[in-house]
Amino acid sequence: MPRKKVISINPKTSVPKYRQLIDSILSAIERKTLKKGDKVPSINQICAEFKLSRDTVMFAFNELKAKGILKSQPGKGYYIASTEIQVEERVFVLFDEFNAFKEDLYNSLINSLKGKATVEVYFHHFNYKVFKNLIAESVGNYTSYIIMPAAFDNTNHLLSKLPQDRVYIIDRKKADLERYPVVYQDFEQDFYDALVEGKERIEKYRRLVFVNPGGKEPVERSRGFERFCQENNFKYEIVKSLSGIKPSLWEAYFLISDRDLVEMVKIAKYCKFKLGKKFGIVSFNDTMLKEVVAGGITTISTDFNEMGKTLANMVLSRDKSQIRNKSRMIFRNSL
């Protein structure tokens, strides 16, 4: 049996060599490349081919023996004693920030992995240095890695330190990370599709305003908004904040920030604009609170519970798919 199908060592990653050796043999068993009774490459073969010390290989083999995976026969070498692999799944999760809808995503992920894996969650808060350090510190400590790069581009050189077949990207599809499995939102198409879905309610408004603060927010949403408005001859405006804005009747506002949502509800109340009649509000990212605020806020949102379930299934099944988690408009009284 060719050794290259069994052992794989990447000298460029910071994952310890003994851990790569263990993972190679376990992976070969999972793929059925190695079966019970099969002989594995000898210590001398592995040392010579991959330039490893004898101690490194022995450390890995001893751990596999302790797990009951390998057995040794004096003078003959090491053989697969069992293919019943029970690897403790430890999942590293790196989110951008914590908020109400991320809590829904996290809880869904945790509940779906309950009893099957332990999960440790971290936040980079859109700080690249924190993002970089957390990934570096996680290397070799987990069996799977769920990464939310958010607005960061060109992060492949950081993620390449992690085992490629154990990394899952979440929320955004990145050009430099296209080789990784991902559960993502298509922000441009999602916004456009939601507006088409709500067109019947939107048509009565004379002007549509999208308040997009920019920065950490995906720029693709603006393209989806513009495309819908231009195709359907709506008067529209895209602004970064509510500063200097004087809302009028027969306008509908699309708000990313929950702070802007609260401010706009207060403005509408002060001006005695009845939401959903001659004045409309749509918020992004649904939460339980938006079901009851001001009689119910219409939202454009992906299903974060579904996203968590999909991620959990991918981790447990080693699924390598790229799955779009679609958004939809959830109609309530504010539109």
Side-chain angles (χ1 to χ4, degrees):
M1 181 180 297
R3 290 192 298 276
K4 65 180 182 179
K5 292 185 178 180
V6 176
I7 307 299
S8 176
I9 302 295
N10 180 1
K12 295 182 180 180
T13 179
S14 56
V15 177
K17 301 297 189 297
Y18 84 90
R19 175 54 56 189
Q20 292 188 56
L21 181 52
I22 291 171
D23 289 344
S24 291
I25 292 176
L26 294 179
S27 179
I29 292 173
E30 287 180 338
R31 299 192 313 268
K32 302 189 185 306
T33 302
L34 285 176
K35 301 180 178 63
K36 187 174 181 178
D38 285 349
K39 187 177 181 179
V40 301
S42 72
I43 293 175
N44 289 338
Q45 287 172 335
I46 296 172
C47 289
E49 183 171 350
F50 298 103
K51 296 181 173 57
L52 301 179
S53 71
R54 189 176 181 84
D55 287 345
T56 296
V57 181
M58 283 299 301
F59 192 86
F61 277 21
N62 285 338
E63 183 169 326
L64 289 168
K65 282 180 66 178
K67 293 178 180 292
I69 302 299
L70 286 186
K71 64 179 179 181
S72 60
Q73 294 185 9
K76 293 186 177 181
Y78 287 82
Y79 295 80
I80 301 298
S82 173
T83 56
E84 297 298 317
I85 302 173
Q86 293 184 342
V87 180
E88 180 187 359
E89 192 74 49
R90 298 185 67 239
V91 183
F92 170 84
V93 179
L94 181 55
F95 284 160
D96 48 17
E97 63 182 354
F98 190 75
N99 48 39
F101 50 92
K102 295 283 172 45
E103 183 177 7
D104 290 340
L105 167 59
Y106 175 72
N107 287 336
S108 175
L109 176 66
I110 291 294
N111 290 334
S112 300
L113 291 173
K114 195 172 184 179
K116 301 173 185 175
T118 57
V119 178
E120 294 183 16
V121 62
Y122 300 86
F123 302 92
H124 57 72
H125 301 289
F126 303 95
N127 184 315
Y128 182 80
K129 185 176 181 180
V130 172
F131 178 82
K132 176 181 177 181
N133 290 341
L134 286 172
I135 288 177
E137 292 167 4
S138 73
V139 174
N141 295 324
Y142 301 88
T143 56
S144 296
Y145 301 80
I146 296 174
I147 310 292
M148 185 179 285
F152 299 138
D153 293 320
N154 303 316
T155 59
N156 182 52
H157 66 290
L158 299 178
L159 270 59
S160 65
K161 297 176 182 178
L162 306 173
Q164 182 181 337
D165 61 340
R166 296 291 189 264
V167 175
Y168 304 86
I169 307 302
I170 182 173
D171 204 40
R172 301 195 194 188
K173 202 173 182 182
K174 298 286 188 175
D176 66 315
L177 303 178
E178 59 183 8
R179 61 179 176 158
Y180 294 104
V182 58
V183 183
Y184 68 96
Q185 299 184 64
D186 185 335
F187 293 100
E188 177 179 345
Q189 194 62 41
D190 283 345
F191 197 180
Y192 178 87
D193 290 345
L195 291 168
V196 170
E197 186 181 2
K199 183 180 176 183
E200 188 175 325
R201 293 197 185 196
I202 296 171
E203 282 179 329
K204 66 182 176 184
Y205 298 104
R206 296 170 187 162
R207 182 167 172 265
L208 309 182
V209 181
F210 177 34
V211 184
N212 183 3
K216 65 183 182 181
E217 303 298 340
V219 297
E220 297 90 340
R221 282 194 179 125
S222 292
R223 295 199 293 263
F225 179 71
E226 285 183 317
R227 179 154 58 98
F228 172 81
C229 292
Q230 289 170 2
E231 288 179 3
N232 294 278
N233 297 314
F234 279 101
K235 290 183 179 180
Y236 70 94
E237 186 177 4
I238 301 175
V239 298
K240 286 193 172 184
S241 73
L242 293 177
S243 178
I245 293 291
K246 295 181 179 179
S248 302
L249 290 176
W250 305 111
E251 292 181 340
Y253 282 77
F254 297 82
L255 309 165
I256 291 178
S257 165
D258 285 350
R259 288 181 178 272
D260 288 342
L261 171 61
V262 172
E263 183 64 24
M264 188 56 73
V265 168
K266 290 164 65 176
I267 290 172
K269 185 177 180 180
Y270 176 80
C271 295
K272 297 183 180 179
F273 294 164
K274 190 170 183 180
L275 294 185
K277 298 299 181 181
K278 298 180 181 181
F279 188 76
I281 291 179
V282 178
S283 176
F284 284 86
N285 299 317
D286 199 44
T287 64
M288 290 180 63
L289 189 61
K290 293 175 186 178
E291 295 179 24
V292 296
V293 168
I297 299 295
T298 294
T299 60
I300 297 173
S301 182
T302 196
D303 188 333
F304 291 101
N305 287 309
E306 185 63 26
M307 185 179 279
K309 292 176 184 177
T310 301
L311 270 172
N313 179 66
M314 291 177 74
V315 168
L316 294 175
S317 65
R318 303 299 186 202
D319 187 352
K320 303 306 176 189
S321 302
Q322 297 193 338
I323 300 173
R324 178 184 171 192
N325 209 74
K326 292 185 178 181
S327 294
R328 65 188 182 93
M329 186 172 279
I330 302 170
F331 296 104
R332 300 194 181 102
N333 290 335
S334 70
L335 188 72

